[in-house]
Amino acid sequence: AEFQGDRDIVAAAVTQNGLALQYAPRWLRSDRDLVLQAVSENDAALQHADDHLREDKKIILSSIKPHGVVLGLQYVSPHLLTDRALMLDVVQCNASALLHSPADVLHNERDFVIAAASRNGGILMHASADLQGDREVALEAIKQQSSAFSSASSRLQNDRQFVFEAVSVNGLVLEYLNETFSDEVAIVRRAVDQNWKAIRFAGGKFRKNREIMLLAVQQNGLALRFAAKDILADKEVCLTAIARDWRALQFVTSQLHHDLEIVNAAVRQDRKALQMVPAILLAQIE
């Protein structure tokens, strides 16, 4: 007990375990900097802060962690849970924080959810059913987070036009499409054109598709790693990839690895590529 009034000792304690704040005297639970330390370590420490600090927006925001369950909000003053500006900042960090706001307020407010979705697409999971079926709201969320597609209404998920719009704003949505849409050339092409990383979620036949693989390697040469064997023997596609990133040389076929134009394209970009060049060609390198 004699150490509980020693600020340095309490500060050291809450840095290791924020809940140690409960053992501090009231004058230390009113210490803003100390409480900030405590809630940063454990958001539930907010319950032990002095009442006026539970309304401190900086302290509230400091208690929000980007992942996991948000515990601290259950200890803030109720009127703050409908404070739009504060809740926008809160859900930007952790979308599940919206669960602490009264269900009949922000969850159903379209303007708020659109604004929140523009910061954190995960908010769609916690929006009202009506807003999960709202095209504009869903697309705003999907722009920020591809997995938000899974929170859109089933009607939207099965609407081809919406699916095309979704991959047009975030190609990584391809990961979440049903087989009907993920097997459609136009949709896969649009997804890869929007974001080359979508090729990771494309079926094998699309990795053999020359046009689609060109779209990918034109953005990032290392996308060549996802190409089918036939594409790895296509000189134009491989040259395009190497022009973007010399390290794509490692993925080409043995025949192209012995092609002077191919290896020169890599070496001109970075002399480190020489370590990948067959010995027989070293004397001919530019």
Side-chain angles (χ1 to χ4, degrees):
E2 62 184 287
F3 298 113
Q4 291 175 355
D6 186 314
R7 190 186 187 287
D8 291 339
I9 291 177
V10 174
V14 300
T15 298
Q16 297 179 54
N17 184 343
L19 294 178
L21 186 64
Q22 65 187 298
Y23 302 112
R26 183 170 181 179
W27 68 272
L28 283 177
R29 287 186 280 116
S30 296
D31 184 314
R32 189 169 188 265
D33 291 337
L34 191 68
V35 172
L36 274 170
Q37 283 181 260
V39 301
S40 295
E41 196 287 320
N42 188 322
D43 60 339
L46 191 59
Q47 66 186 297
H48 304 300
D50 198 63
D51 290 348
H52 78 282
L53 291 180
R54 295 187 199 181
E55 298 198 4
D56 186 307
K57 294 182 180 181
K58 182 177 179 180
I59 288 178
I60 293 170
L61 290 173
S62 295
S63 75
I64 307 300
K65 306 296 187 294
H67 305 292
V69 179
V70 178
L71 298 175
L73 287 183
Q74 63 187 304
Y75 306 114
V76 308
S77 297
H79 73 276
L80 291 176
L81 298 177
T82 57
D83 181 312
R84 286 158 179 74
L86 174 63
M87 290 303 292
L88 277 175
D89 288 338
V90 166
V91 300
Q92 179 174 345
C93 184
N94 190 322
S96 68
L98 188 61
L99 294 172
H100 290 279
S101 184
D104 59 344
V105 186
L106 299 182
H107 301 68
N108 296 306
E109 190 174 304
R110 188 173 187 273
D111 289 345
F112 173 83
V113 174
I114 288 179
S118 71
R119 300 187 184 196
N120 186 338
I123 199 71
L124 192 61
M125 179 186 298
H126 307 293
S128 67
D130 285 346
L131 292 179
Q132 289 176 339
D134 185 306
R135 291 179 98 86
E136 183 183 354
V137 172
L139 285 173
E140 191 60 48
I142 287 166
K143 282 181 191 176
Q144 304 301 319
Q145 188 172 309
S146 59
S147 61
F149 181 84
S150 299
S151 297
S153 68
S154 58
R155 175 181 59 81
L156 288 180
Q157 290 186 41
N158 290 287
D159 180 325
R160 186 195 178 280
Q161 182 58 38
F162 176 78
V163 169
F164 194 82
E165 291 172 4
V167 298
S168 296
V169 298
N170 191 334
L172 300 182
V173 164
L174 187 61
E175 180 182 6
Y176 302 97
L177 302 186
N178 64 41
E179 190 174 340
T180 298
F181 296 131
S182 64
D183 200 44
E184 185 176 326
V185 175
I187 287 175
V188 175
R189 183 194 301 118
R190 186 69 191 98
V192 174
D193 189 32
Q194 199 283 324
N195 188 328
W196 72 271
K197 293 179 182 177
I199 195 64
R200 294 179 297 162
F201 310 117
K205 72 177 183 180
F206 299 112
R207 300 183 187 204
K208 297 178 183 178
N209 185 301
R210 191 171 186 276
E211 179 189 4
I212 288 174
M213 285 309 308
L214 268 172
L215 286 173
V217 300
Q218 283 167 356
Q219 296 173 59
N220 189 310
L222 295 181
L224 194 63
R225 75 177 67 184
F226 299 108
K229 290 183 179 180
D230 290 349
I231 298 297
L232 297 178
D234 186 308
K235 186 171 180 177
E236 181 187 354
V237 175
C238 291
L239 272 174
T240 301
I242 290 168
R244 292 290 178 273
D245 193 319
W246 66 271
R247 293 173 296 175
L249 179 61
Q250 66 188 292
F251 304 117
V252 306
T253 61
S254 176
Q255 182 178 354
L256 288 183
H257 224 121
H258 286 76
D259 184 294
L260 193 57
E261 185 180 3
I262 288 281
V263 296
N264 267 325
V267 173
R268 278 195 299 269
Q269 189 180 140
D270 195 313
R271 300 297 288 184
K272 292 177 183 175
L274 284 169
Q275 61 189 315
M276 298 186 193
V277 176
I280 196 172
L281 294 181
L282 286 176
Q284 303 175 63
I285 295 298
E286 296 174 358

